[in-house]
């Protein structure tokens, strides 16, 4: 990896980021495909890896091997995502089990758990960076379409989708770390 390119990346050069992305995309994709065996999921993971590189560009230690760091980040990202999928499958199984017993949505949570969920969800939303918080509120709480919300935020539809996706991921992670199984059951509705 060209050290000058990494220095330019650290300074926020989009051209340097694009060059790095183009140089490593296929290798990272093929590496991650061995973990997931799912092309669409793999492409999402590749984007997550490069988004993380962009987010931490100023902290990258260019004295160490960038290749080794990038592949380690890709592996860790894949393992984290696969663990989340396994947890979501467990949650879905729990929901299906409860539904098969004939329980309706109201019996899944009592009033106290409902208030607890609302408070926890609000804390998760409050912890988001401003643009992600705004994207989540506009789309998920106010019911705006992607186009409407993107126009209100004065950003492109794709940028809006990225902010919303990252917001939902952050909220899920927050709820996974801080919630009970009753609260986790409601995660499925955040898809």
């Amino acid at each position: 990896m060209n050290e000058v390119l990494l220095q330019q990346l650290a300074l926020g050069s989009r051209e340097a980021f694009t060059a790095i992305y183009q140089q490593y995309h296929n290798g990272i994709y093929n590496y991650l495909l061995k973990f997931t065996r799912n092309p669409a999921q793999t492409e999402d993971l590749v984007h997550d890896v490069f988004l993380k590189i962009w987010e931490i560009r100023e902290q990258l230690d260019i004295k160490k091997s960038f290749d080794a760091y990038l592949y380690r980040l890709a592996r860790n990202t894949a393992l984290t995502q696969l663990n989340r999928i396994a947890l979501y499958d467990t949650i879905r199984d729990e929901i299906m089990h409860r539904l098969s017993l004939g329980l309706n949505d109201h019996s899944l949570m009592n009033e106290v758990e409902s208030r607890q969920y609302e408070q926890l969800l609000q804390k998760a939303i409050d912890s988001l960076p401003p643009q992600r918080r705004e994207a989540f509120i506009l789309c998920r709480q106010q019911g705006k379409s992607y186009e409407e919300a993107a126009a209100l935020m004065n950003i492109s539809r794709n940028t809006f989708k990225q902010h919303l996706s990252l917001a939902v991921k952050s909220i899920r992670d927050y709820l996974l770390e801080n919630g009970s199984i009753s609260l986790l059951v409601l995660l499925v509705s955040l898809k």
Side-chain angles (χ1 to χ4, degrees):
M1 167 53 61
N2 182 341
E3 196 170 307
V4 173
L5 203 55
L6 286 175
Q7 289 172 344
Q8 291 172 346
L9 173 67
L11 296 173
S13 167
R14 293 182 188 273
E15 293 81 14
F17 176 77
T18 301
I20 291 168
Y21 180 87
Q22 290 172 342
Q23 180 177 346
Y24 285 97
H25 177 274
N26 290 339
I28 294 296
Y29 176 87
N30 291 327
Y31 178 69
L32 290 175
L33 189 58
K34 294 174 188 174
F35 286 94
T36 66
R37 295 181 173 83
N38 179 318
Q41 183 182 26
T42 300
E43 195 61 49
D44 286 345
L45 287 172
V46 170
H47 290 296
D48 288 347
V49 168
F50 283 101
L51 179 62
K52 181 69 172 174
I53 291 295
W54 178 255
E55 288 174 347
I56 63 167
R57 65 189 177 277
E58 295 169 352
Q59 291 85 33
L60 285 174
D61 185 356
I62 58 174
K63 293 176 185 142
K64 296 180 181 174
S65 169
F66 179 75
D67 291 19
Y69 177 81
L70 184 61
Y71 279 88
R72 188 171 53 251
L73 176 63
R75 181 183 59 93
N76 291 343
T77 301
L79 293 176
T80 299
Q81 183 64 20
L82 292 172
N83 286 337
R84 280 191 190 123
I85 289 169
L87 178 58
Y88 294 150
D89 288 345
T90 301
I91 293 167
R92 283 189 195 103
D93 290 347
E94 175 68 16
I95 291 171
M96 295 309 291
H97 173 70
R98 290 179 183 215
L99 291 175
S100 71
L101 295 175
L103 301 175
N104 62 31
D105 290 346
H106 298 294
S107 64
L108 289 178
M109 289 192 340
N110 64 33
E111 191 174 323
V112 172
E113 288 174 320
S114 179
R115 272 184 296 201
Q116 194 179 33
Y117 168 74
E118 290 298 324
Q119 290 170 348
L120 195 57
L121 177 60
Q122 192 56 54
K123 285 181 184 176
I125 293 169
D126 291 344
S127 73
L128 294 171
Q131 283 193 304
R132 292 181 193 172
R133 181 173 46 245
E134 184 178 3
F136 183 84
I137 290 169
L138 286 171
C139 190
R140 296 299 170 94
Q141 292 184 324
Q142 295 180 4
K144 305 276 188 222
S145 70
Y146 287 3
E147 290 78 14
E148 292 171 324
L152 287 170
M153 292 178 68
N154 200 26
I155 57 177
S156 72
R157 184 180 191 275
N158 285 340
T159 301
F160 173 80
K161 283 175 59 177
Q162 185 177 33
H163 282 303
L164 182 61
S165 175
L166 292 170
V168 169
K169 183 184 282 190
S170 294
I171 289 170
R172 283 181 179 156
D173 291 346
Y174 186 92
L175 294 177
L176 282 170
E177 291 173 16
N178 298 290
S180 68
I181 188 65
S182 297
L183 299 177
L184 292 177
V185 168
L186 295 175
L187 283 175
V188 177
S189 67
L190 285 178
K191 278 208 152 185

